[in-house]
Amino acid sequence: MMKSSKDIWVFGDYRNYFQNRVTLQILARAVDLATSTGGKVCAIVFGHNVNEYVAEYIAHGAQKVYVMDDPRLLLYSLETYSKLLTRLAKKYQPETILVGATRFGQEMAPRVAKQLKTGLTADCIDLEINEKGLLIQIAPSFGGNLIAKIITPVQRPQMATVRPGTFQELPHDYNASGKTMIEPLPDDLPEDRIRLITSEHRPSKKQKIEDADIVICGGRGMGSKGKFKKLFDLADLMNAEVGATRPVVYSEWISHHALVGQAGKNIKPKILMSFGISGAIQHTAALTDADFIIAINKNPNAIMMKMADVAIVADANQACLGIIKALKEKIRD
């Protein structure tokens, strides 16, 4: 068993900082966890001219930031970044390493875990500390039908990737202070088998569903793929994003990126409109932070109807068409 400190490390993914807040969200949860473990919350930052992000991470809960700042780290390299994180972990021996479950994190974290000969729980939806001080890594399993609670009892560090939107980031603290640890770049960097020549960020025309103020979710109660598409017309009128339940995604009425549930996205909109959704736990567990819920279903006893602030007993498709018509008339007026 590797002797470790009690520190919790959060890898800083700042490449799309102002839109992708997953690092800040994980830092917030790490602050909570550290109150039970007694360790420090640390951020890890690789790149070039990264002082701005170091300051941001300190303002959002990091007590210490390990920094490697070098022109050779300006562009992300899987082999280099994973090797550097592994070396730092072996040097300082943190108790826990947390990484955002973005494409970046899903690519890098397993390689680091392999090099450190430790376990990794992917796509966590919650993190807790048990009575023995171990990290409980909570993640959906078996296609979202079960929730698994996983621990790493022997090996260190404990590692997990965390879904974006799972936790709420802390407010920016302008008076926060933290220690910055400048780490030298080793001379024996691995030779990349894949080399990034250049990159270009093309922002999506639509926002992520987990960041949307208004979300319109549809279930099998919409009746068919053709009828389900009407939700997109409604979303365009309301500047909203469209989500779906697992049966809808599996029926290929919409792509997997729209899945709202334990096996998909956690959402926290100001307004959630639910069309033809009964309310299985796999779905409802991901929308408990919605401020105001409007549910439309033929069954007045559906779980989704009981969760709603406003429940409308009606055919979901007909209600959708009626709302679209009313909005268009309002716009014309």
Side-chain angles (χ1 to χ4, degrees):
M1 176 177 175
M2 179 186 291
K3 182 181 178 181
S4 64
S5 70
K6 295 181 180 180
D7 292 349
I8 301 173
W9 283 15
V10 178
F11 189 83
D13 182 2
Y14 56 83
R15 293 174 302 163
N16 191 21
Y17 178 81
F18 294 100
Q19 284 73 45
N20 186 347
R21 314 291 283 183
V22 64
T23 301
L24 304 185
Q25 295 162 6
I26 299 175
L27 280 171
R29 188 56 174 163
V31 169
D32 288 338
L33 298 175
T35 60
S36 299
T37 65
K40 292 185 181 298
V41 176
C42 308
I44 313 299
V45 180
F46 299 152
H48 185 47
N49 294 329
V50 293
N51 289 340
E52 175 186 3
Y53 306 109
V54 172
E56 283 291 305
Y57 293 149
I58 290 173
H60 284 88
Q63 299 164 285
K64 185 185 295 184
V65 183
Y66 293 93
V67 182
M68 283 191 176
D69 191 324
D70 191 278
R72 288 171 289 177
L73 299 179
L74 178 61
L75 298 177
Y76 164 69
S77 163
L78 171 61
E79 294 185 32
T80 297
Y81 273 42
S82 59
K83 182 65 70 175
L84 292 177
L85 182 54
T86 298
R87 288 189 180 188
L88 280 183
K90 288 181 176 179
K91 179 178 179 181
Y92 292 105
Q93 300 181 0
E95 178 78 359
T96 301
I97 298 178
L98 304 175
V99 183
T102 59
R103 291 182 179 178
F104 169 85
Q106 291 167 341
E107 179 182 51
M108 189 184 74
R111 287 166 171 79
V112 174
K114 178 65 167 60
Q115 293 172 36
L116 293 174
K117 298 181 180 179
T118 190
L120 171 72
T121 301
D123 294 333
C124 288
I125 59 173
D126 202 358
L127 300 168
E128 298 173 356
I129 301 293
N130 70 8
E131 66 280 359
K132 295 182 179 180
L134 296 176
L135 180 71
I136 303 176
Q137 303 145 50
I138 303 172
S141 61
F142 296 99
N145 290 314
L146 295 176
I147 297 297
K149 294 186 176 182
I150 301 167
I151 61 172
T152 309
V154 178
Q155 294 299 105
R156 291 294 179 271
Q158 305 165 109
M159 287 190 66
T161 62
V162 180
R163 288 184 184 174
T166 297
F167 304 117
Q168 183 69 42
E169 67 184 71
L170 295 172
H172 191 288
D173 183 356
Y174 291 93
N175 297 315
S177 60
K179 186 175 182 180
T180 301
M181 303 285 289
I182 305 298
E183 293 290 322
L185 196 65
D187 296 328
D188 58 337
L189 287 177
E191 185 175 345
D192 295 327
R193 288 174 288 182
I194 299 175
R195 186 162 59 97
L196 179 61
I197 305 300
T198 186
S199 65
E200 178 183 352
H201 175 61
R202 292 186 177 181
S204 172
K205 293 182 179 179
K206 290 195 173 185
Q207 60 187 322
K208 295 181 179 179
I209 189 172
E210 57 265 37
D211 298 328
D213 287 336
I214 304 174
V215 175
I216 297 170
C217 274
R220 290 293 294 271
M222 285 299 295
S224 68
K225 184 176 182 178
K227 294 176 180 178
F228 185 89
K229 289 182 178 179
K230 290 296 181 181
L231 295 180
F232 289 97
D233 296 336
L234 178 59
D236 287 340
L237 291 170
M238 299 182 66
N239 192 27
E241 295 298 318
V242 176
T245 59
R246 188 173 57 175
V248 166
V249 171
Y250 286 2
S251 297
E252 299 183 349
W253 292 3
I254 193 172
S255 63
H256 191 275
H257 80 275
L259 176 59
V260 175
Q262 292 170 345
K265 304 289 180 61
N266 289 276
I267 61 174
K268 44 183 183 297
K270 294 179 181 177
I271 299 174
L272 169 65
M273 298 186 72
S274 174
F275 287 83
I277 296 174
S278 60
I281 185 62
Q282 292 92 341
H283 176 72
T284 58
L287 44 84
T288 54
D289 290 331
D291 290 342
F292 192 84
I293 299 175
I294 302 169
I296 302 166
N297 201 297
K298 287 182 178 180
N299 181 6
N301 297 315
I303 294 173
M304 198 70 236
M305 299 286 273
K306 295 178 180 178
M307 288 182 60
D309 298 282
V310 174
I312 301 172
V313 180
D315 176 82
N317 176 59
Q318 292 300 317
C320 178
L321 294 174
I323 296 172
I324 290 172
K325 181 180 179 181
L327 287 175
K328 286 182 175 179
E329 290 176 353
K330 184 68 175 179
I331 292 171
R332 283 194 292 266
D333 293 341

